[in-house]
């Protein structure tokens, strides 16, 4: 079953998340659709190639371990074509949640004053930015960044060690605790602020009921079973809440420097041979076991229920991929991995009748993106909305830049077929566009608008 | 949309440098610089449209090579349309969105003696520009596909004309009317190029 463990950072956990985009190496699996032809399934099967699981948190669907008959792909070309065809779908499947998350964050920032007021800082960023001189401010922000990144690194390594030494219960407990905090406490604060902004009266019993229901269903959905879309919705909300916390509590310059630093860190952690994320994925691959319910957003998950071959369903690599991806990044965030999981998806039995084709496994290509990616994208856009004087133009420019970065990353994923960090390209584009739009484009557009000239 | 954004970035960079390098109290000079900025931006946008065309061309070749039956799942005309829409949306969004945000707040239009139709004309102008970008996309790509340079120059000239006509603002008749006329022309042209004809139109309208 697919579990999403929401690794929201509790206050004590470092909030950074490593994001890594992993491409599933699993051979493309024919997506299951009602009425999907068996032939397609057969063809898909042909394409299924045993591939090593991508070590990153996102594990590719492994067909290998399951013993699904793997026939060497009939032709490299066909496989590539399938990859491309589904690649475009994946891009759309990821655009929607990322966009939704950003919309929620921007809407909140623009309307609720609370999140733009400066009310203190996290303990991870102890240096204040209220200093008079520019140099001092810069120094403070760099120091803040160093502290934050080192906390993240430490937590990640800690998590990898825990995983290596099989302290699963500890990790589970940690994840559950952090998601509990996120779902209840942060939601309570958020709801309180929204109600205050719109001057809506609410009594405590109703509030308690609403939050209890929200939190309980969220816990179940994320850590256990639940409808896919509800899971996705909860993950988006959680990412948005986390991003809002970051936007509120990170001082300005620190936020930008942290964004830059974390994308560099992500790049290194995922691609270097000794990077913690990579080690995590490799360990998970060696053990051939599912990793914890991780903080990964998956766009298409299905449970296989007994129908498919006995060997396949139970230990779907997809689960591993997801888990692997997640637990690596626990320290606060979920490492984001985008994983295009070609093979694993299990369809819930009750909703989809599974054909008796024994080889047909409900698999749909899904793409996985770590929640940390969501969070940092939203932090970038939210900060742009909060602090840019050009307001909407800057926000819009950052939004487009991030989406294009995501597109490019997915393209690279399709080309390289291994875990890739999702942060660097998008964050770079976003930062470039933010600073350039704010400083260069805004005066230009303002002057044009005042004379009502159009370009 | 991204390409339009990049072109906007570069053109505003140029303008910004020019402004900073010049005397900011000289109003006619500033106006002249602004005009120069606008024209340069138009040219840059068209350049980026061309670059985007090149990129899409390569993408189509890749798709064709990979596809089973030798034709790509998306035709160049569809890509032209999408490119045009993307350009148009981005341009429209950047023109209008701050205006809309301000319109939500309190205020009086034109209280300092400016035109009272500011919002209205801005809306119409933005709309015509979005449509125009879409049609220009189709025309431009068609011209590039069939190597008809006069089509491409026509698009560039039209764009320059429309932007130039906005210099007449707030004399709105000088900018809106020509723009709409040009839009009608471009629409008809693009329609004909995409394979439409008067017969198709008639059949569509009569719901046959």
């Amino acid at each position: 079953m697919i579990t999403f463990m929401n690794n929201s950072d509790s206050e004590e956990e470092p909030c950074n998340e490593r994001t890594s985009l992993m491409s599933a190496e699993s051979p493309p699996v024919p997506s299951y659709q009602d009425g999907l032809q068996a032939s397609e399934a057969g063809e898909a099967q042909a394409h299924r190639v045993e591939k090593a699981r991508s070590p990153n948190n996102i594990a590719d669907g492994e067909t290998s371990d399951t013993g699904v008959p793997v026939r060497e792909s009939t032709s490299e070309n066909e496989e590539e074509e399938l990859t491309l065809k589904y690649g475009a779908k994946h891009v759309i499947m990821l655009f929607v949640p990322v966009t939704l998350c950003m919309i929620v964050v921007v809407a909140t920032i623009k309307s609720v004053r609370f999140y733009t007021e400066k009310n203190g800082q996290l303990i991870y960023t102890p240096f204040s930015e209220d200093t008079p001189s520019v140099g001092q401010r810069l120094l403070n922000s760099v120091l803040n960044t160093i502290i934050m990144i080192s906390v993240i690194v430490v937590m990640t390594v800690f998590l990898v060690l825990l995983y290596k030494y099989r302290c699963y219960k500890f990790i589970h407990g940690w994840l559950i605790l952090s998601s509990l905090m996120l779902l209840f406490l942060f939601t309570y604060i958020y709801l309180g602020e929204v109600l205050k902004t719109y001057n809506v009266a609410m009594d405590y019993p109703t509030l308690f009921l609403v939050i209890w229901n929200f939190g309980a269903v969220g816990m179940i959905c994320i850590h256990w079973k639940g409808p896919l879309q509800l899971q996705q919705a909860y993950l988006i909300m959680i990412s948005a809440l986390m991003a809002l916390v970051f936007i509120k509590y990170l001082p300005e310059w620190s936020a930008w420097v942290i964004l830059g630093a974390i994308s560099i860190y992500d790049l290194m952690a995922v691609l270097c041979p000794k990077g913690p994320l990579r080690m995590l994925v490799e360990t998970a691959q060696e053990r051939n076991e599912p990793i914890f319910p991780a903080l990964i957003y998956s766009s298409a998950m299905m449970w296989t229920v007994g129908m498919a071959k006995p060997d396949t369903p139970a230990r779907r690599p997809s689960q591993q991929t997801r888990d692997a991806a997640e637990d690596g990044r626990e320290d606060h965030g979920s490492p984001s991995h985008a994983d295009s999981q070609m093979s694993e998806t299990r369809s819930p039995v009750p909703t989809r009748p599974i054909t008796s084709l024994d080889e047909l496994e409900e698999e749909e290509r899904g793409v996985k993106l770590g929640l940390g990616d969501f969070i940092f994208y939203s932090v970038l856009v939210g900060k742009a909305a909060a602090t840019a004087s050009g307001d909407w133009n800057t926000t819009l420019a950052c939004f487009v830049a991030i989406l294009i970065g995501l597109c490019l990353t997915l393209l690279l994923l399709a080309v390289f077929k291994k875990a890739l960090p999702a942060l660097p390209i998008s964050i770079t584009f976003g930062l470039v566009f933010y600073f350039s739009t704010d400083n260069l484009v805004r005066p230009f557009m303002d002057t044009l608008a005042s004379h009502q000239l159009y370009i | 949309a991204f390409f339009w954004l990049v072109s906007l970035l570069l053109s505003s960079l140029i303008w910004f440098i020019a402004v900073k390098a010049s005397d900011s109290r000289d109003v006619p000079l500033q106006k002249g610089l602004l005009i120069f900025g606008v024209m340069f931006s138009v040219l840059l946008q068209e350049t980026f449209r061309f670059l985007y065309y090149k990129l899409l061309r390569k993408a189509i070749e890749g798709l064709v090579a990979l596809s089973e039956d030798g034709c790509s799942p998306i035709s160049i005309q569809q890509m032209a349309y999408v490119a045009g829409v993307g350009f148009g949306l981005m341009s429209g969004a950047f023109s209008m969105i701050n205006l809309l945000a301000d319109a939500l707040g309190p205020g009086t239009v034109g209280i300092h003696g400016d035109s009272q139709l500011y919002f209205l004309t801005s809306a119409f102008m933005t709309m015509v520009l979005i449509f125009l970008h879409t049609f220009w996309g189709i025309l431009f790509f068609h011209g590039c596909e069939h190597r008809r340079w006069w089509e491409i120059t026509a698009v560039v000239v039209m764009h320059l004309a429309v932007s130039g006509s906005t210099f007449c603002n707030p004399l709105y008749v000088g900018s809106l009317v020509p723009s709409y006329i040009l839009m009608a022309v471009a629409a008809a042209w693009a329609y004909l190029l995409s394979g439409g004809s008067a017969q198709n139109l008639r059949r569509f309208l009569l719901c046959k």
Side-chain angles (χ1 to χ4, degrees):
Chain A
M1 88 181 185
I2 294 174
T3 56
F4 279 116
M5 177 120 34
N6 191 1
N7 201 10
S8 43
D9 316 0
S10 44
E11 284 297 351
E12 64 258 16
E13 292 184 55
C15 301
N16 293 323
E17 294 164 358
R18 282 160 296 138
T19 57
S20 54
L21 198 65
M22 273 185 48
S23 76
E25 289 183 23
S26 56
V29 176
S31 55
Y32 178 78
Q33 290 160 19
D34 292 293
L36 191 61
Q37 301 319 309
S39 55
E40 191 182 328
E43 185 189 292
Q45 301 256 293
H47 291 314
R48 221 151 359 152
V49 177
E50 195 88 20
K51 281 192 209 174
R53 241 183 303 207
S54 41
N56 238 347
N57 302 314
I58 304 183
D60 329 329
E62 288 98 32
T63 47
S64 45
D65 20 338
T66 56
V68 169
V70 173
R71 280 179 300 180
E72 287 313 303
S73 46
T74 48
S75 74
E76 192 59 28
N77 226 2
E78 284 182 26
E79 186 172 319
E80 270 187 43
E81 183 203 337
L82 276 172
T83 309
L84 271 186
K85 241 202 279 178
Y86 286 101
K89 209 159 70 147
H90 289 172
V91 172
I92 304 294
M93 288 201 281
L94 279 188
F95 268 19
V96 174
V98 171
T99 311
L100 277 177
C101 194
M102 289 194 213
I103 286 178
V104 170
V105 170
V106 171
T108 311
I109 293 275
K110 288 282 184 199
S111 52
V112 179
R113 288 271 134 246
F114 173 73
Y115 286 104
T116 39
E117 294 161 4
K118 294 237 35 90
N119 268 347
Q121 299 180 196
L122 293 173
I123 54 167
Y124 304 116
T125 53
F127 295 95
S128 150
E129 283 196 6
D130 277 335
T131 56
S133 77
V134 169
Q136 179 75 6
R137 190 170 185 187
L138 197 63
L139 181 70
N140 280 354
S141 56
V142 170
L143 288 174
N144 278 341
T145 310
I146 293 179
I147 295 179
M148 190 75 136
I149 300 281
S150 40
V151 171
I152 292 177
V153 172
V154 163
M155 298 299 259
T156 312
V157 169
F158 181 50
L159 197 72
V160 172
L161 286 176
L162 281 181
Y163 184 66
K164 240 180 151 87
Y165 294 116
R166 302 177 190 265
C167 311
Y168 296 144
K169 290 223 184 294
F170 189 87
I171 299 182
H172 271 297
W174 186 4
L175 290 180
I176 288 182
L177 202 64
S178 58
S179 53
L180 208 71
M181 177 173 202
L182 200 66
L183 276 174
F184 287 101
L185 182 67
F186 287 176
T187 312
Y188 171 69
I189 295 176
Y190 178 76
L191 214 55
E193 291 306 321
V194 169
L195 291 175
K196 260 191 247 178
T197 306
Y198 291 107
N199 214 9
V200 174
M202 180 171 279
D203 49 314
Y204 273 116
T206 314
L207 187 72
F208 173 71
L209 200 69
V210 166
I211 291 192
W212 170 251
N213 279 329
F214 180 82
V217 175
M219 287 300 286
I220 294 177
C221 252
I222 295 172
H223 293 273
W224 197 49
K225 295 196 242 253
L228 175 66
Q229 298 197 316
L230 200 60
Q231 236 167 2
Q232 294 174 334
Y234 266 105
L235 289 172
I236 293 176
M237 283 191 266
I238 294 249
S239 314
L241 282 175
M242 205 58 232
L244 284 169
V245 166
F246 272 126
I247 294 173
K248 180 173 171 62
Y249 286 112
L250 284 181
E252 302 217 357
W253 290 19
S254 305
W256 299 113
V257 182
I258 284 180
L259 276 174
I262 201 153
S263 46
I264 299 177
Y265 167 70
D266 193 32
L267 196 67
M268 292 196 323
V270 172
L271 296 180
C272 291
K274 274 299 165 194
L277 290 182
R278 190 160 174 161
M279 278 182 12
L280 185 72
V281 178
E282 279 164 7
T283 318
Q285 268 187 332
E286 280 166 31
R287 293 189 195 163
N288 221 11
E289 63 189 12
I291 313 185
F292 316 91
L295 249 57
I296 279 196
Y297 175 95
S298 168
S299 49
M301 296 294 240
M302 298 191 292
W303 293 261
T304 44
V305 178
M307 308 277 259
K309 291 153 102 136
D311 47 349
T312 39
R315 318 158 222 41
R316 265 296 140 139
S318 51
Q319 197 180 16
Q320 283 158 320
T321 51
R322 279 177 297 116
D323 298 334
E326 297 312 326
D327 54 42
R329 290 71 22 161
E330 262 333 20
D331 43 358
H332 343 278
S334 37
S336 23
H337 322 280
D339 183 7
S340 50
Q341 202 161 58
M342 304 298 242
S343 46
E344 326 272 327
T345 41
R346 293 174 265 216
S347 46
V349 171
T351 59
R352 294 191 207 205
I354 297 178
T355 66
S356 49
L357 213 58
D358 45 328
E359 294 195 345
L360 176 58
E361 285 175 324
E362 320 291 321
E363 294 190 6
E364 215 172 73
R365 290 165 222 262
V367 189
K368 296 185 198 308
L369 184 65
L371 284 195
D373 288 323
F374 277 88
I375 294 182
F376 282 109
Y377 293 161
S378 307
V379 166
L380 196 143
V381 176
K383 268 276 185 234
T387 64
S389 33
D391 270 354
W392 292 95
N393 278 348
T394 320
T395 314
L396 200 59
C398 288
F399 169 70
V400 172
I402 288 183
L403 285 187
I404 294 289
L406 189 63
C407 240
L408 276 176
T409 317
L410 285 174
L411 200 71
L412 286 179
L413 192 71
V415 166
F416 286 118
K417 297 202 193 303
K418 53 188 220 119
L420 288 180
L423 277 185
I425 301 181
S426 288
I427 299 278
T428 316
F429 276 3
L431 287 176
V432 163
F433 270 82
Y434 170 74
F435 286 112
S436 52
T437 311
D438 198 30
N439 297 322
L440 297 175
V441 176
R442 191 179 43 86
F444 188 44
M445 291 306 288
D446 284 346
T447 329
L448 285 183
S450 64
H451 293 274
Q452 228 179 356
L453 300 177
Y454 283 86
I455 53 167
Chain B
F2 182 65
F3 274 71
W4 188 88
L5 211 59
V6 176
S7 84
L8 179 68
L9 205 80
L10 289 176
S11 47
S12 46
L13 177 67
I14 305 284
W15 177 80
F16 191 74
I17 293 175
V19 164
K20 284 297 178 203
S22 68
D23 181 9
S24 57
R25 278 153 309 172
D26 190 356
V27 170
L29 177 63
Q30 293 300 312
K31 192 100 203 280
L33 275 183
L34 199 61
I35 294 180
F36 159 72
V38 167
M39 292 298 152
F40 188 75
S41 172
V42 167
L43 292 174
L44 216 57
Q45 277 178 47
E46 297 302 326
T47 316
F48 270 85
R49 211 198 290 271
F50 183 68
L51 290 175
Y52 193 53
Y53 165 75
K54 284 254 168 258
L55 184 71
L56 285 182
R57 200 91 199 83
K58 285 218 182 85
I60 279 205
E61 279 162 21
L63 281 176
V64 165
L66 288 177
S67 78
E68 289 174 333
D69 48 0
C71 47
S72 92
I74 175 169
S75 72
I76 189 78
Q77 285 96 345
Q78 285 170 319
M79 283 195 183
Y81 175 69
V82 170
V85 169
F87 264 56
L89 280 180
M90 222 32 210
S91 150
F94 260 66
S95 313
M96 265 316 265
I97 205 157
N98 276 334
L99 228 60
L100 288 173
D102 284 336
L104 282 178
T108 311
V109 187
I111 196 169
H112 286 297
D114 297 311
S115 161
Q116 289 181 326
L117 299 172
Y118 186 78
F119 281 153
L120 216 54
T121 47
S122 298
F124 277 113
M125 199 64 210
T126 311
M127 183 177 81
V128 82
L129 252 192
I130 296 179
F131 278 134
L132 275 173
H133 268 292
T134 315
F135 300 136
W136 285 335
I138 300 178
L139 293 173
F140 195 91
F141 276 46
H142 185 264
C144 290
E145 276 290 298
H146 299 262
R147 299 269 180 278
R148 296 204 198 138
W149 306 117
W150 60 276
E151 274 183 23
I152 300 177
T153 30
V155 168
V156 178
V157 164
M158 262 199 274
H159 197 169
L160 283 172
V162 169
S163 284
S165 71
T166 60
F167 291 142
C168 302
N169 284 342
L171 185 67
Y172 294 122
V173 72
S175 69
L176 279 178
V177 172
S179 309
Y180 271 90
I181 294 177
L182 275 178
M183 181 187 86
V185 168
W189 194 0
Y191 180 68
L192 289 172
L193 280 185
S194 313
S197 66
Q199 286 175 329
N200 282 350
L201 194 59
R202 209 152 53 95
R203 256 187 277 153
F204 166 72
L205 286 175
L206 297 176
C207 295
K208 286 215 195 108

